[in-house]
Amino acid sequence: MSFQDTGPRILLAALIALLLFVVAFFVARGSSSEAARAPVREKPLAGSTQLEHARLRAIGTVPALPRARRKPKPQRPSTPPPARAQPIPRPPAPPPPIAPRPPPPPPPDDGCLGEIC
Protein backbone atom coordinates (compact mmCIF):
# COMPACT_ATOMS: atom_id res chain seq x y z
CA MET A 1 0.00 0.00 0.00
CA SER A 2 1.77 3.07 -1.27
CA PHE A 3 0.63 6.63 -1.69
CA GLN A 4 0.66 6.16 -5.45
CA ASP A 5 -2.66 4.24 -5.18
CA THR A 6 -5.90 6.17 -5.52
CA GLY A 7 -7.63 4.74 -2.42
CA PRO A 8 -5.20 6.01 0.24
CA ARG A 9 -5.03 9.42 -1.47
CA ILE A 10 -8.79 9.85 -1.33
CA LEU A 11 -8.89 8.72 2.32
CA LEU A 12 -6.09 11.12 3.28
CA ALA A 13 -7.78 14.03 1.46
CA ALA A 14 -11.11 13.29 3.20
CA LEU A 15 -9.46 13.19 6.64
CA ILE A 16 -7.65 16.49 6.03
CA ALA A 17 -10.89 18.14 4.85
CA LEU A 18 -12.73 16.87 7.94
CA LEU A 19 -10.00 18.17 10.23
CA LEU A 20 -10.07 21.60 8.56
CA PHE A 21 -13.86 21.75 8.87
CA VAL A 22 -13.76 20.96 12.61
CA VAL A 23 -11.06 23.58 13.23
CA ALA A 24 -12.95 26.22 11.22
CA PHE A 25 -16.18 25.41 13.09
CA PHE A 26 -14.69 25.94 16.52
CA VAL A 27 -12.79 29.08 15.47
CA ALA A 28 -15.96 30.62 14.04
CA ARG A 29 -18.01 29.66 17.07
CA GLY A 30 -15.51 31.11 19.52
CA SER A 31 -15.23 34.44 17.71
CA SER A 32 -18.98 35.02 17.26
CA SER A 33 -20.68 37.82 19.16
CA GLU A 34 -23.31 35.45 20.57
CA ALA A 35 -20.71 33.49 22.53
CA ALA A 36 -19.65 36.57 24.54
CA ARG A 37 -23.11 37.67 25.65
CA ALA A 38 -23.96 37.42 29.29
CA PRO A 39 -27.11 35.55 30.30
CA VAL A 40 -30.16 37.80 30.76
CA ARG A 41 -32.21 37.62 33.95
CA GLU A 42 -35.88 38.46 33.94
CA LYS A 43 -36.77 41.41 36.11
CA PRO A 44 -40.31 41.94 37.42
CA LEU A 45 -42.14 45.03 36.25
CA ALA A 46 -42.15 48.02 38.54
CA GLY A 47 -45.25 47.97 40.74
CA SER A 48 -46.09 44.30 40.23
CA THR A 49 -44.94 41.41 42.31
CA GLN A 50 -44.99 38.76 39.59
CA LEU A 51 -44.99 38.48 35.82
CA GLU A 52 -48.34 38.34 34.10
CA HIS A 53 -48.53 35.66 31.46
CA ALA A 54 -50.90 35.84 28.54
CA ARG A 55 -53.23 32.93 27.93
CA LEU A 56 -52.03 30.71 25.13
CA ARG A 57 -55.31 31.04 23.25
CA ALA A 58 -55.06 34.83 23.33
CA ILE A 59 -51.69 34.85 21.59
CA GLY A 60 -52.10 35.32 17.86
CA THR A 61 -55.88 35.11 17.76
CA VAL A 62 -57.84 37.14 15.27
CA PRO A 63 -61.55 37.83 15.65
CA ALA A 64 -63.63 35.99 13.09
CA LEU A 65 -65.12 37.93 10.22
CA PRO A 66 -68.90 37.86 9.87
CA ARG A 67 -70.10 35.30 7.34
CA ALA A 68 -72.76 35.88 4.74
CA ARG A 69 -75.97 33.97 5.23
CA ARG A 70 -76.34 30.83 3.22
CA LYS A 71 -79.00 30.63 0.58
CA PRO A 72 -81.63 28.05 1.40
CA LYS A 73 -81.43 24.97 -0.76
CA PRO A 74 -84.54 24.29 -2.81
CA GLN A 75 -86.54 21.34 -1.57
CA ARG A 76 -86.59 18.49 -4.03
CA PRO A 77 -89.94 16.84 -4.46
CA SER A 78 -89.93 13.35 -3.08
CA THR A 79 -90.57 10.65 -5.65
CA PRO A 80 -92.76 7.70 -4.74
CA PRO A 81 -91.00 4.35 -4.67
CA PRO A 82 -91.38 2.22 -7.82
CA ALA A 83 -94.44 0.02 -7.76
CA ARG A 84 -92.91 -3.37 -8.36
CA ALA A 85 -89.91 -4.47 -10.27
CA GLN A 86 -90.55 -6.29 -13.50
CA PRO A 87 -89.61 -9.98 -13.40
CA ILE A 88 -86.39 -10.83 -15.13
CA PRO A 89 -87.07 -12.58 -18.46
CA ARG A 90 -85.68 -16.05 -18.88
CA PRO A 91 -82.50 -16.25 -20.88
CA PRO A 92 -82.85 -17.62 -24.40
CA ALA A 93 -82.35 -21.33 -24.88
CA PRO A 94 -78.81 -22.35 -25.80
CA PRO A 95 -78.26 -23.13 -29.48
CA PRO A 96 -78.36 -26.81 -30.45
CA PRO A 97 -75.00 -28.60 -30.48
CA ILE A 98 -73.12 -28.62 -33.74
CA ALA A 99 -73.20 -31.99 -35.52
CA PRO A 100 -69.82 -33.69 -35.76
CA ARG A 101 -68.01 -33.46 -39.07
CA PRO A 102 -68.02 -36.56 -41.22
CA PRO A 103 -64.77 -38.53 -41.24
CA PRO A 104 -62.38 -37.92 -44.15
CA PRO A 105 -62.64 -40.28 -47.08
CA PRO A 106 -60.41 -43.36 -46.94
CA PRO A 107 -57.13 -43.24 -48.87
CA PRO A 108 -57.11 -44.80 -52.35
CA ASP A 109 -56.20 -48.49 -52.70
CA ASP A 110 -52.96 -47.91 -54.61
CA GLY A 111 -51.34 -46.29 -51.53
CA CYS A 112 -50.77 -42.89 -53.15
CA LEU A 113 -52.14 -39.81 -51.52
CA GLY A 114 -51.98 -36.90 -53.91
CA GLU A 115 -48.44 -36.65 -55.27
CA ILE A 116 -46.91 -38.69 -52.45
CA CYS A 117 -46.51 -42.44 -53.17
Side-chain angles (χ1 to χ4, degrees):
M1 186 165 108
S2 67
F3 282 108
Q4 299 300 324
D5 295 335
T6 308
R9 282 184 173 182
I10 293 174
L11 182 65
L12 183 64
L15 288 175
I16 291 173
L18 182 64
L19 179 68
L20 288 175
F21 175 76
V22 169
V23 169
F25 175 78
F26 284 111
V27 167
R29 187 172 180 208
S31 65
S32 71
S33 61
E34 291 181 8
R37 289 185 180 172
V40 177
R41 291 188 178 189
E42 293 183 8
K43 297 178 183 177
L45 296 173
S48 68
T49 57
Q50 56 180 318
L51 294 174
E52 294 182 17
H53 296 285
R55 293 178 44 209
L56 290 178
R57 290 183 184 225
I59 297 174
T61 58
V62 178
L65 297 174
R67 291 187 179 180
R69 293 185 179 237
R70 293 184 181 176
K71 294 180 181 177
K73 293 183 180 179
Q75 295 289 334
R76 288 190 285 174
S78 60
T79 57
R84 188 166 184 212
Q86 297 289 336
I88 299 174
R90 298 180 82 187
I98 301 173
R101 295 173 52 187
D109 293 335
D110 61 353
C112 291
L113 183 65
E115 297 180 0
I116 301 172
C117 290

